[in-house]
Amino acid sequence: MTTEPIAAPINAWHVAQQQFDLAAERLGMDQGMRRVLREPRRELTVHFPVTMDDGSVQVFTGYRVQHNLGRGPAKGGLRYHQDVSLDEVKALAMWMTWKCAVVGIPYGGGKGGVIVDPKKLSMKELEGLTRRFATEIEVLIGPERDIPAPDVNTNAQVMAWIMDTYSMHQGYTVPGVVTGKPISLGGSEGRYEATARGCVYTIVEAARHLGLDLKTARVAIQGFGNAGSIAARLISEEGSTVVAVSDSTGGIHNPGGLDVARVIGWKKEHGTVQGFPGAMDISNAQILEVDCDILIPAALENQITERNAGKVRARLIAEAANGPTTPDADLILARNGVFMIPDILCNAGGVTVSYFEWVQDLNRDHWSEAVVNEKLRGIMVKAFGETLEIAKREDCDMRTAAYLLAVDRVANAMAMRGLYP
Ligand code: NAD
C-alpha cells in the first residue's frame, strides 16, 4: 500500500489572501476596503477538556472564525482533522464569504475546526468532544448569527449533537442553528448529496461550453468521502467513466473504468479503496496525473501545486474540495489550457442546500427532494453562467472571474452599509 504525506507545507491562509489581493487589484478596490476584507472579523480559539473512555481528561483545541458578515450571518462547516490550524480555518472562512456571494445566498463566511483525528475516538468520546466544543463556540453561533455545517470528518450525527446541545442551553428546540442535520431533526432532503450534485451541475455546464462529451469522458477523483464518493456516483450517472479514485490511504486506477457502487461497498467493508479487485493501487500524488478528461479534487487543500500542475492531463478540473490548487499552479494550468471550475463556484452546492435547510427550518417547512434539486440546479447554472460571462468579458480564467463576481458583491454590500460607528 502506498501512503503519501497529505499536506504540502503551503499556508492556505496566505493562498486565500493572495487570491483576494489579485481580485481587489483587478477591481481597483479602495485601499480601506482591501484592509477590511483581507482579515477575518472574528477569530475564536478554545482549549477544552473531554473525559476519555479510560477516565483520563484530554484537552483539545478548536477554532471558530467569522470572516465577513456584510451580506448576512456567518455560514460554514466544522472540520475534525489532526492538521487543522487557525490559518487553515481562516482561509476556509474567507472562501465561504466568496462562495456565498458567487451563488448569491444571504450569508457571510465562517468556518470552524478541532485538532483531532476522530478515527481514534469512540462514539462516546466524539459526542463528548462535540458537545463541549459546541458549548465553547456558543458565544458566536446561533440561527441568526453563525450557522455551522458538516465538513471533513463531521456528519449529520455531529450536527444533531450540536443542535441538541444548543437547544438544551436555550431551553427550546432550535433546528436552524446548524445545517446538514438528519432529516428527522429538520434536515433538508438532498443536503447529503448537495455538494457533489452542485459540482456535477457545473461540470455539465462546463462540458457543454468546452464541447466535451460526458458520455465518453474519463474521470479521476481525489478524496472519497461525502463530496468525492457521491460525485463519483453522479458523474457515472451522466455516462462518464470513473477511472481512478483515492482516499487518505491512497488510490486505485483502472483505465477501463471502476464500478463505483462496488468501490463504495469495498471502502465500507475494508476502510480503504485500495486493494479493490481488478484495479491498480496508486498514490495520492499519482491520481492527479492520471490520464483522464476530468479531474475532481475532493480531499484537502494544496494538492495541485507548481510541482505537479504541469503533469495534470485532465482538460477540465472541478474543485469539489476547498483550496486544492495553489495560485502558482493556477498559472501553469491556465497556460496549459486546462479549464478550471473554481472551488467557490464548484462546491457551492453544499452551502446552497444548507441555505435551503435553514429557510425550511425558520419557516417550519419541508420541501421534496425534487424541489431542492431543481432550485439547486437553477442557482448553480446561473452562477456558472455569470462567472463564464465575466471570464469572457475580462479575458481571464474562471477563478479570477468568480473572485471578481464575489468580491465585488461583498464590497458593494459593505459600502452600502457604511463604516460603523
Ligand atoms: P469527508 O470527511 O466526507 O471526506 C474526505 C475524504 O478525503 C476522505 O475520503 C478521506 O479519506 C480523503 N482524504 C483525506 N486526505 C486525503 C488526501 N491527501 N488524498 C486523498 N484523499 C484524502 O469530507 P468532505 O465533506 O467530502 O470534504 C472534502 C472536501 O470537500 C473538503 O475540502 C471540504 O472542505 C470540501 N467541501 C465539503 C462540503 C460538504 O458539504 N461536505 C461542502 C463544500 C466543500
Side-chain angles (χ1 to χ4, degrees):
M1 183 155 57
T2 322
T3 309
E4 291 283 327
I6 60 168
I10 296 168
N11 184 311
W13 175 237
H14 296 159
V15 169
Q17 284 192 313
Q18 203 180 330
Q19 290 167 334
F20 165 72
D21 289 342
L22 289 170
E25 186 62 31
R26 207 161 167 142
L27 286 167
M29 186 184 285
D30 165 78
Q31 291 297 336
M33 185 67 80
R34 286 191 208 198
R35 284 181 209 117
V36 172
L37 291 178
R38 256 189 129 253
E39 299 295 339
R41 167 108 174 239
R42 297 179 177 132
E43 305 172 14
L44 174 67
T45 300
V46 294
H47 306 284
F48 58 99
V50 179
T51 305
M52 310 303 282
D53 289 347
D54 64 5
S56 68
V57 172
Q58 299 295 333
V59 171
F60 293 87
T61 298
Y63 308 100
R64 185 72 191 171
V65 172
Q66 297 176 342
H67 170 256
N68 184 273
L69 305 173
R71 300 179 60 260
K75 189 86 190 81
L78 290 177
R79 178 173 292 193
Y80 289 175
H81 195 277
Q82 57 276 17
D83 296 333
V84 163
S85 66
L86 180 57
D87 273 354
E88 180 184 61
V89 177
K90 284 163 67 175
L92 289 162
M94 186 193 251
W95 289 327
M96 285 307 297
T97 301
W98 313 139
K99 193 181 301 180
C100 294
V102 166
V103 286
I105 57 176
Y107 286 136
K111 203 83 181 191
V114 177
I115 306 173
V116 60
D117 180 355
K119 288 176 196 137
K120 295 192 173 141
L121 300 185
S122 68
M123 276 297 268
K124 189 164 164 284
E125 290 168 337
L126 189 64
E127 179 175 352
L129 175 136
T130 299
R131 286 186 182 278
R132 181 62 189 246
F133 178 58
T135 305
E136 296 294 338
I137 63 171
E138 224 174 81
V139 291
L140 289 181
I141 65 173
E144 306 292 346
R145 294 155 22 112
D146 184 347
I147 306 113
D151 192 71
V152 173
N153 290 332
T154 57
N155 55 22
Q157 174 63 80
V158 171
M159 296 306 119
W161 288 326
I162 297 173
M163 181 272 223
D164 182 69
T165 303
Y166 185 86
S167 299
M168 284 297 147
H169 296 163
Q170 298 302 310
Y172 59 97
T173 298
V174 190
V177 66
V178 284
T179 57
K181 295 180 295 296
I183 304 272
S184 57
L185 295 180
S188 179
E189 306 288 343
R191 174 60 185 90
Y192 181 66
E193 297 85 4
T195 301
R197 195 175 293 281
C199 164
V200 171
Y201 285 145
T202 63
I203 291 175
V204 169
E205 293 305 297
R208 185 173 304 135
H209 167 68
L210 295 171
L212 176 67
D213 183 3
L214 284 182
K215 301 263 177 276
T216 56
R218 295 156 309 146
V219 185
I221 304 175
Q222 186 196 47
F224 207 62
N226 176 273
S229 70
I230 300 173
R233 176 163 64 76
L234 296 178
I235 198 73
S236 316
E237 286 172 12
E238 293 295 327
S240 304
T241 304
V242 176
V243 294
V245 301
S246 73
D247 59 28
S248 59
T249 60
I252 51 174
H253 182 208
N254 181 348
L258 297 163
D259 180 333
V260 172
R262 282 187 55 222
V263 178
I264 291 172
W266 179 268
K267 178 161 167 83
K268 213 171 263 170
E269 194 180 332
H270 300 271
T272 168
V273 293
Q274 289 215 314
F276 183 72
M280 202 167 50
D281 281 354
I282 57 170
S283 71
N284 263 315
Q286 286 172 311
I287 195 159
L288 302 169
E289 300 164 15
V290 154
D291 189 13
C292 64
D293 303 296
I294 302 171
L295 175 62
I296 307 180
L300 297 174
E301 304 88 64
N302 302 329
Q303 299 299 305
I304 306 174
T305 66
E306 62 180 336
R307 292 211 313 273
N308 58 7
K311 297 184 194 149
V312 168
R313 292 158 83 178
R315 185 174 165 202
L316 167 60
I317 296 180
E319 292 185 326
N322 285 306
T325 312
T326 65
D328 290 339
D330 267 333
L331 293 176
I332 297 167
L333 294 168
R335 208 181 304 132
N336 291 346
V338 180
F339 187 88
M340 171 69 77
I341 313 175
D343 48 6
I344 58 171
L345 168 65
C346 187
N347 68 42
V351 74
T352 299
V353 177
S354 273
Y355 165 63
F356 296 161
E357 180 173 328
W358 181 75
V359 168
Q360 292 169 79
D361 288 339
L362 297 183
N363 291 324
R364 305 290 187 258
D365 201 356
H366 193 77
W367 307 345
S368 71
E369 188 176 352
V371 167
V372 168
N373 290 348
E374 201 38 43
K375 281 178 185 282
L376 173 63
R377 203 183 64 79
I379 286 181
M380 297 306 294
V381 168
K382 179 164 179 274
F384 183 92
E386 287 174 342
T387 305
L388 184 62
E389 219 25 68
I390 294 175
K392 285 183 191 159
R393 191 184 72 220
E394 300 291 323
D395 191 22
C396 64
D397 61 88
M398 286 287 280
R399 190 184 316 280
T400 306
Y403 266 79
L404 294 179
L405 178 64
V407 173
D408 197 38
R409 279 182 179 163
V410 175
N412 267 324
M414 299 288 287
M416 289 307 291
R417 285 179 67 153
L419 195 60
Y420 178 87

